[in-house]
Amino acid sequence: MTTTTPQPIVTPPGLAGVVVADTAVGDVRGDDGFFHYRQYDALDLARHVTFEDVWHLMVRGTLPDAAQARAWAAEVAAAAEPAEDVRRELTEVLRRFGGGDDPLVSLRTALSAYGALTGLRPLWDLDPEQRTADAVRVAAIVPWLVTAAHRLAQGEQPLAPRPELGVVGSYLWLLSGEEPREEHVRAISRYLCLTVDHGFNASTFTARVIASTGADLAACVVGGIGALSGPLHGGAPSRALDALDAIGTVDNAYPWALEQLRSGERVMGFGHAIYRGPDPRSELLRETVIELGGPTAELAVAAEAEVVRALAEHKPERVLRANVEYYAGVVMQSCGIPRSMFTPTFAVSRVVGWTAHVLEQAQQRKIIRPSSRYVGPPAPQPLP
């Protein structure tokens, strides 16, 4: 009996349009301007339910009823702060090996240490219940880790979570040490709900590839964080806000955008790899920005139209609109989150999606192992 090696399939750059897995976690329909988490419209969820409810949906598969919501809140609260001995170790790790002014660097360092200190085991060796418990633990500790890194970099001590404020309110408390305002909790909750998951983006795919090897949950999430740290992925909200600073006034928005385009620079906060029209996340965040008000909010809304006009004139073959990053930075700044914490705040949300995908990937028990196409000099050649 003879076997043949399957012929490799050459895919487009960046795997654009290539389906690499089945998923029940959610989907993005770019042509329709629509995305969903499991069977629910993601915008409906962001408007009407809590971040905890969305988290339960992603990891447990259903929106919780009242009794489930209480049990879920208690489970998350129990995992939201490390035990005292682990806390001491992690604080020392953050002091010695953290990223200074970059809490995302600190997060991936500390989360790796957290996995070791708490004895997280390879997914391959765990049953589904154990994997889910680890998924909750890893996602729940991220708000404490990123805020502890930030506060230590500012010369302040990490704070203890306040479960009575909810996940979002507690996060804002951990960051600033101030009682969060209701409108800020509502705005950040919308943002976090909108960014939990978004198809097979770079960080989600990275986390799933690592999960396919059977590695532990912390390793999968650390890989996702590494992908998220790139400016073309999670680093865009602060850069979009930097663009608004450069614009300064509405009158300057159109000429600024034209200059960026003529010089070959990317206009951060506009365009998306999936959506061919408006990014639905941006639409809801624009509403949120208007509700929050303030000079930056007013500038952002007015400048958007001028930048879109410049993009339409310069690139008429493409429909380029504001994406989620454009308004995300305005929302976060309006709620008192410093720019160095924009991408870490994104990670607080996206870790929920990563862990949902990791749990799904772990069920398949098959390693992701694509091929490559060699394009170097012909081989073999004689040694010199």
Side-chain angles (χ1 to χ4, degrees):
M1 180 178 178
T2 60
T3 59
T4 58
T5 302
Q7 285 295 107
I9 301 170
V10 180
T11 64
L15 300 180
V18 176
V19 174
V20 297
D22 294 331
T23 182
V25 173
D27 192 24
V28 181
R29 304 208 303 253
D31 290 342
D32 300 330
F34 174 78
F35 74 112
H36 59 99
Y37 304 151
R38 301 202 182 274
Q39 67 269 43
Y40 299 104
D41 183 327
L43 266 69
D44 285 346
L45 291 169
R47 290 182 189 277
H48 300 300
V49 306
T50 67
F51 180 63
E52 289 92 330
D53 288 344
V54 172
W55 189 351
H56 189 279
L57 172 68
M58 298 299 282
V59 173
R60 297 289 187 187
T62 62
L63 286 174
D65 59 26
Q68 290 171 325
R70 287 191 295 271
W72 178 247
E75 183 178 356
V76 169
E81 184 180 19
E84 185 56 39
D85 57 336
V86 176
R87 177 187 172 116
R88 286 195 300 269
E89 295 278 3
L90 290 174
T91 301
E92 185 61 23
V93 167
L94 289 168
R95 281 201 181 100
R96 294 182 60 195
F97 306 112
D101 292 334
D102 189 346
L104 202 64
V105 173
S106 301
L107 173 60
R108 65 177 187 246
T109 303
L111 191 57
S112 184
Y114 174 80
L117 289 167
T118 57
L120 291 183
R121 295 164 55 204
L123 292 163
W124 186 263
D125 299 330
L126 304 179
D127 62 34
E129 185 176 343
Q130 291 171 321
R131 292 181 205 139
T132 302
D134 281 357
V136 175
R137 291 167 61 196
V138 167
I141 201 65
V142 167
W144 186 85
L145 289 174
V146 294
T147 55
H150 172 73
R151 291 184 66 84
L152 288 167
Q154 304 302 309
E156 300 172 318
Q157 289 300 307
L159 297 171
R162 291 184 50 192
E164 75 276 10
L165 297 177
V167 172
V168 179
S170 181
Y171 176 66
L172 293 174
W173 155 260
L174 287 169
L175 186 60
S176 68
E178 299 176 0
E179 292 289 326
R181 292 164 53 178
E182 183 178 342
E183 63 267 29
H184 291 174
V185 172
R186 182 171 58 251
I188 297 302
S189 179
R190 282 182 181 176
Y191 168 68
L192 295 179
C193 288
L194 287 172
T195 52
V196 160
D197 184 55
H198 205 246
F200 267 41
N201 55 82
S203 57
T204 297
F205 185 48
T206 300
R208 286 191 71 128
V209 170
I210 298 171
S212 79
T213 72
D216 68 71
L217 242 150
C220 301
V221 172
V222 168
I225 295 166
L228 190 71
S229 66
L232 297 185
H233 193 7
S238 59
R239 292 172 183 247
L241 203 56
D242 291 342
L244 280 174
D245 288 343
I247 290 171
T249 64
V250 176
D251 292 342
N252 191 42
Y254 177 79
W256 176 87
L258 281 183
E259 179 57 31
Q260 292 291 110
L261 293 166
R262 287 168 181 161
S263 61
E265 296 292 328
R266 181 173 178 178
V267 180
M268 301 302 288
F270 288 82
H272 194 276
I274 301 297
Y275 295 114
R276 294 298 173 260
D279 182 335
R281 301 168 299 173
S282 179
E283 300 286 292
L284 180 52
L285 289 182
R286 182 193 294 111
E287 291 180 27
T288 306
V289 161
I290 292 170
E291 291 172 7
L292 290 169
T296 304
E298 294 173 3
L299 173 62
V301 173
E304 178 191 3
E306 294 300 298
V307 173
V308 167
R309 180 164 69 93
L311 288 166
E313 292 178 7
H314 193 80
K315 297 185 176 183
E317 74 284 358
R318 296 183 62 190
V319 179
L320 297 170
R321 303 288 180 82
N323 58 39
V324 66
E325 286 87 5
Y326 181 76
Y327 282 110
V330 182
V331 168
M332 285 187 273
Q333 179 171 274
S334 299
C335 295
I337 298 176
R339 293 189 195 193
S340 64
M341 289 296 292
F342 284 2
T343 305
T345 302
F346 188 2
V348 167
S349 167
R350 189 53 63 87
V351 68
V352 171
W354 292 333
T355 54
H357 278 278
V358 165
L359 292 175
E360 186 176 67
Q361 185 65 47
Q363 296 173 3
Q364 298 183 21
R365 315 284 280 184
K366 184 175 179 60
I367 193 169
I368 295 174
R369 175 59 169 90
S371 300
S372 61
R373 178 172 57 176
Y374 178 72
V375 295
Q381 295 185 19
L383 296 174

